[in-house]
Amino acid sequence: MTLDQLIPSLRTSLRAKLAPGVWPAGTALDSDGDLVIAGARMTEVAARFGTPTYVLDEAAFRRQCRQYAATLPGVEICYAGKALLTRAVARWVAEEGLSLDVCSAGELAVARSVGFPAGRIVLHGNAKTPEDLKAALRYPVGRIVIDSFDEIDQLGMLAHDQQVLIRVTPGVDGHTHRAISTGVEDQKFGFSLASGAAAEAVRRVSAQPGLRLVGMHCHIGSQLTRIGMIEEAARRMIGLLALVRDRYGVRLPQLNLGGGHAVRYLPGDDEFDLAGYAARLSGALAYECGRHRLPVPRLAIEPGRALIARAGITLYRVVVVKDVPGVRTFVAVDGGMSDNPRPALYGARYTVALIGRPCSAATRTVTVVGRHCEAGDILAQDVPLPRDVHAGDLLAVACTGAYHQSLASTYNMVGRPPLVAVADGDARLLVRRETEEDLLARDTGM
Ligand code: LLP
């Protein structure tokens, strides 16, 4: 008999606590070891919707939208839909008064299906197809961010009075993973500031009667923790606004500084200092604009991850526990790189908790892996889990609201998980699980 069986009150004190700062605020482990998010029990969610399942705390997302709006008054907050976009999410974004960044006709279709206010939609993309551009002009979206000289001509031929911004590569290194670093010169995105391409783009856009240039855009990368790099990009962008005023007499009222604000995946990760960012940015903009005798432009930002990542978790069921003596213990679950390719793509790390049963066992270091046919199908490397973790256990992975559902694939013909929203103790299905029928439906068999 273990100590906590002899003294039941010890169970609570011995029970693993949730790691701070990575789960939706207010998330708790109850006395049965169940994870409770927004009043909903995750064992019940798993029983009702199966596993793996993405779970989204609606209130946590809305709170974060409000936090951004309150900390950055007067700044247009444009939620980056690539992080996670469903019809419900688009509706929440609209209701919270935010704008929406889309980057394909598909994302635009989601926005359109809920009547998202057109003027608050911004279209992005380094290679927008004719279908993307036509869909945007048809809606019509408020602004299109032009990314190349080809696009100036292509859009110029189609548009009549379309507001546009020019995407600039400011030559600032965001110090993030190479695959999501977009501010440096060797880059498929935007017009280089240093080479003069950005200024040349202003000249060419201004020559297009169907395009109305309203501002500049830059986005130096994702999962950025160094505010100084965003500040430096902002300074350079103000310098560019001054240059195009001086060279072409063009005055641009808008500046969009993109997204990229980091979130915590592990309790020890650096957190993005939003208040510090707001203060430093407004100081830098006021100073640079004063220096160049420019009015401070209307500022927009495009956070995706920072608004939705922490509102989401993923539930998995343990299928197999395999000890490789002297090497490591693998805890294999019923999902994997098809529902979360981020460890394979960016070396991402995660916080994992065993939930759904009281557990006071000491922990040991294990590696949580998926069910796919690759050794690199790892969900969480070297994480502490109770020694007695076994097949049938339920695991929750924190901070999976951004770039999980939206990056998911059907690798190995595994259907994509459902997305379930929790609010006020209830759970409701936003996107259902992909079935074998869904997968077969696209295959003509010919
Ligand atoms: N604006 C633009 C133009 C972007 O390209 C992006 C992200 C954002 C805003 C939003 O960035 P966020 O605030 O979410 O960092 N799949 C990667 C992230 C790719 C980011 C692509 N662009 C990941 O899972 O880490």
Side-chain angles (χ1 to χ4, degrees):
M1 185 170 267
T2 62
L3 196 58
D4 67 303
Q5 283 165 327
L6 279 170
I7 314 169
S9 64
L10 263 185
R11 208 181 252 172
T12 321
S13 54
L14 287 177
R15 204 178 55 231
K17 293 270 183 302
L18 284 176
V22 294
W23 302 93
T27 298
L29 277 174
D30 72 8
S31 55
D32 297 325
D34 207 343
L35 190 70
V36 184
I37 303 179
R41 292 168 159 274
M42 291 304 106
T43 50
E44 285 169 18
V45 169
R48 201 170 137 201
F49 301 100
T51 51
T53 287
Y54 302 117
V55 181
L56 196 57
D57 179 341
E58 175 182 347
F61 173 68
R62 288 183 183 269
R63 274 198 307 273
Q64 192 66 350
C65 293
R66 287 172 203 176
Q67 179 73 32
Y68 262 71
T71 312
L72 294 155
V75 175
E76 181 181 9
I77 316 282
C78 218
Y79 170 65
K82 65 204 84 188
L84 171 57
L85 192 65
T86 70
R87 299 212 252 183
V89 171
R91 216 178 300 115
W92 302 342
V93 172
E95 286 166 3
E96 294 301 325
L98 271 54
S99 298
L100 181 66
D101 146 10
V102 298
C103 59
S104 68
E107 287 184 0
L108 182 57
V110 177
R112 194 175 51 227
S113 75
V114 299
F116 198 97
R120 281 162 38 198
I121 299 180
V122 179
L123 176 72
H124 273 287
N126 70 300
K128 302 177 192 77
T129 64
E131 291 71 33
D132 294 332
L133 292 177
K134 284 178 192 159
L137 294 172
R138 211 177 308 124
Y139 195 40
V141 303
R143 283 147 293 173
I144 297 178
V145 181
I146 293 186
D147 197 285
S148 65
F149 289 120
D150 279 333
E151 190 185 344
I152 297 175
D153 300 334
Q154 291 158 358
L155 186 61
M157 283 198 290
L158 297 170
H160 295 298
D161 184 27
Q162 177 63 51
Q163 292 193 19
V164 298
L165 287 88
I166 288 173
R167 174 151 180 181
V168 176
T169 310
V172 176
D173 185 351
H175 295 284
T176 184
H177 190 280
R178 198 174 50 80
I180 50 177
S181 177
T182 50
V184 291
E185 287 290 323
D186 183 1
Q187 181 64 242
K188 70 171 184 167
F189 293 106
F191 295 93
S192 153
L193 195 160
S195 73
E200 171 63 9
V202 172
R203 192 187 66 76
R204 294 209 208 169
V205 169
S206 305
Q208 290 281 353
L211 305 182
R212 186 142 52 93
L213 184 60
V214 296
M216 293 287 186
H217 174 281
C218 73
H219 167 79
I220 63 167
S222 200
Q223 187 64 4
L224 308 171
T225 50
R226 298 198 197 177
I227 294 169
M229 306 322 284
I230 309 179
E231 196 182 327
E232 175 58 23
R235 288 180 192 281
R236 294 187 187 194
M237 295 300 285
I238 296 296
L240 178 63
L241 293 182
L243 183 144
V244 302
R245 175 201 57 193
D246 297 343
R247 188 177 296 174
Y248 305 119
V250 173
R251 288 167 196 276
L252 298 174
Q254 297 183 28
L255 177 61
N256 185 324
L257 292 175
H261 306 180
V263 300
R264 274 192 191 140
Y265 289 92
L266 301 175
D269 285 351
D270 288 341
E271 196 161 39
F272 191 80
D273 173 12
L274 182 61
Y277 164 81
R280 282 176 65 173
L281 203 58
S282 71
L285 289 175
Y287 176 79
E288 287 299 318
C289 289
R291 208 160 72 80
H292 292 288
R293 287 168 286 100
L294 274 175
V296 176
R298 170 149 199 245
L299 205 60
I301 60 167
E302 296 169 336
R305 188 192 317 263
L307 295 182
I308 205 152
R310 196 176 155 189
I313 68 134
T314 307
L315 297 173
Y316 298 98
R317 188 75 66 185
V318 175
V319 183
V320 164
V321 176
K322 186 181 286 181
D323 268 310
V324 183
V327 181
R328 68 174 69 240
T329 299
F330 292 98
V331 175
V333 298
D334 53 2
M337 68 192 300
S338 59
D339 61 75
N340 181 8
R342 298 194 68 260
L345 289 172
Y346 322 111
R349 308 293 297 265
Y350 286 89
T351 302
V352 185
L354 186 152
I355 63 165
R357 63 174 169 91
C359 180
S360 55
T363 60
R364 62 174 165 163
T365 299
V366 301
T367 291
V368 180
V369 296
R371 59 179 294 192
H372 295 284
C373 308
E374 296 196 23
D377 175 25
I378 291 168
L379 284 173
Q381 179 127 18
D382 297 333
V383 289
L385 279 181
R387 289 199 157 276
D388 63 353
V389 60
H390 54 73
D393 270 340
L394 203 53
L395 298 185
V397 176
C399 205
T400 66
Y403 304 109
H404 285 69
Q405 198 255 9
S406 64
L407 279 185
S409 75
T410 57
Y411 186 35
N412 294 147
M413 289 303 257
V414 172
R416 286 169 288 186
L419 177 67
V420 171
V422 288
D424 304 323
D426 277 339
R428 65 186 198 281
L429 191 61
L430 301 188
V431 179
R432 67 164 171 77
R433 186 180 303 283
E434 194 164 30
T435 62
E436 286 173 7
E437 292 71 48
D438 291 328
L439 295 171
L440 284 169
R442 298 172 56 239
D443 182 334
T444 67
M446 303 249 276

